[in-house]
């Protein structure tokens, strides 16, 4: 990130993060609760250096601020303006390539994406925990719980479908590209077609793998048009201090992650969505994340319409194979 690009694009990103009261209050409180006088602290992905300064204000003796982009130049100037330059060692590098001269008592990082782990959080945290921390050292954050739910929201889906409707030009390659990428959107509770499911709670102090992979089945609880799956996280920074980005909590700059489907699916109560997701690094030692997801969904509405067209008697066995009488099964 050059100085010009920092001014053009970095401003908006950092403005969103630093103006997010939920994020700011939670991280400040967690740092002041965790960092003890005389501690050595590593700030991984330091950005503007704010977390490094808070660690010093909490009593840290020294902070190693690791930031691979040119934002580190701004962080250095901010530290100088606040008279903390002599207590922060700025390291302009990918954390995996860094060797520190001493072990730290606390590792603090804010490498959280809208789906929690979609900034290659697992790989970098695992590496830093093993190489930078003393035995029994503390992490901020400590754990991340991931949640998902099926979503009906035509306005969000239309941002993807838009590419199929550009006059006179075939933009299908753009549609194919964007329909496979997660979007950062505001999801409302009324958009959810069933209760959220917690798909994992990841203990960052004990993770051993760099790839997250899961598959689940979600039962639709109200009829609608299924446009994709929403994902969000609940993060424990330290005991008693959490950040929750669910649709029914205070909005944050993370909003929610949205996994769009290629085509909308008309669903009714009882339909089952089979959804799987895999999150990991694109390549070794890179912070680019690869997210792949697959899905399929039952179409009970079509099945019921077909069965009803067969003119089955009320007391006859239901042809769906449930073993129930038709009047107790697909007749409804």
């Amino acid at each position: 990130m050059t100085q010009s690009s920092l001014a053009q694009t970095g401003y908006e990103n950092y403005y969103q993060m630093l103006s997010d009261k939920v994020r700011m209050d939670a991280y400040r409180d967690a740092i002041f609760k965790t960092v003890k006088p005389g501690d050595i602290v590593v700030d991984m992905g330091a950005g503007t250096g704010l977390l490094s300064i808070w660690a010093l204000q909490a009593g840290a003796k020294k902070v190693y601020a690791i930031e691979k982009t040119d934002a580190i130049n701004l962080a250095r100037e901010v530290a100088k303006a606040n008279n903390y330059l002599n207590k922060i060692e700025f390291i302009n590098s990918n954390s995996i390539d860094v060797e520190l001269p001493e072990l730290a008592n606390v590792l603090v990082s804010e490498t959280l994406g809208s789906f929690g782990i979609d900034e290659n959080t697992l790989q970098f945290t695992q590496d830093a925990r093993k190489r930078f921390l003393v035995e029994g050292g503390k992490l901020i954050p400590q754990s991340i719980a991931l949640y998902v739910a099926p979503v009906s929201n035509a306005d969000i889906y239309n941002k993807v479908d838009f590419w199929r409707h550009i006059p006179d030009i075939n933009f299908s390659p753009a549609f194919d590209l964007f329909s496979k990428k997660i979007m950062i959107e505001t999801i409302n509770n009324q958009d959810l077609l069933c209760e959220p499911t917690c798909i994992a709670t990841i203990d960052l102090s004990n993770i051993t793998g760099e790839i997250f992979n899961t598959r689940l089945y979600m039962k639709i609880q109200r009829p609608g048009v299924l446009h994709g799956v929403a994902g969000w996280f609940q993060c424990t920074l330290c005991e008693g201090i959490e950040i929750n980005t669910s649709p029914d909590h205070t909005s944050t700059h993370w909003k929610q992650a949205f996994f769009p489907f290629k085509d909308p699916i008309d669903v009714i109560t009882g339909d089952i969505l089979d959804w799987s997701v895999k999150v990991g690094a694109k390549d070794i030692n890179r912070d680019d994340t690869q997210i792949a997801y697959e899905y399929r969904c039952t179409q009970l509405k079509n099945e019921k319409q077909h069965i009803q067209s067969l003119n089955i008697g009320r007391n006859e066995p239901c042809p769906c194979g449930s073993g129930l009488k038709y009047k107790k099964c697909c007749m409804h």
Side-chain angles (χ1 to χ4, degrees), residues 7 31 42 45 93 108 122 148 179 187 235 255 262 273 329:
I31 288 171
V42 173
S93 181
V108 59
L122 301 184
V148 296
S179 64
I187 305 295
C235 178
K255 299 181 182 180
K262 188 171 184 179
L273 174 62
C329 189

Side-chain angles (χ1 to χ4, degrees), residues 176-232:
D176 291 340
L177 175 66
F178 296 130
S179 64
K180 299 174 184 176
K181 292 182 175 293
I182 65 170
M183 303 161 64
I184 310 305
E185 300 290 341
T186 297
I187 305 295
N188 299 310
N189 262 346
Q190 57 265 32
D191 298 333
L192 307 184
L193 293 178
C194 76
E195 290 297 313
T197 299
C198 180
I199 59 174
T201 299
I202 302 169
D203 180 359
L204 295 177
S205 66
N206 197 36
I207 53 174
T208 57
E210 299 176 354
I211 296 176
F212 174 78
N213 196 351
T214 192
R215 179 180 182 181
L216 70 154
Y217 300 90
M218 293 175 271
K219 187 173 183 179
I220 301 299
Q221 295 174 342
R222 68 175 181 86
V225 178
L226 176 58
H227 294 107
V229 167
W232 59 88

Side-chain angles (χ1 to χ4, degrees), residues 11 34 37 65 81 97 103 117 134 155 171 173 179 203 248-249 265 321:
Y11 169 80
T34 303
D97 299 324
L103 295 178
I117 59 173
V134 298
D155 290 338
F171 265 84
S179 64
D203 180 359
D248 60 357
H249 279 67
I265 304 173

Side-chain angles (χ1 to χ4, degrees), residues 107 125-133 204-207:
L107 169 67
T125 301
Q126 182 176 197
D127 174 75
R129 186 198 73 210
K130 289 179 178 178
R131 298 192 302 110
F132 296 159
L133 279 181
L204 295 177
S205 66
N206 197 36
I207 53 174

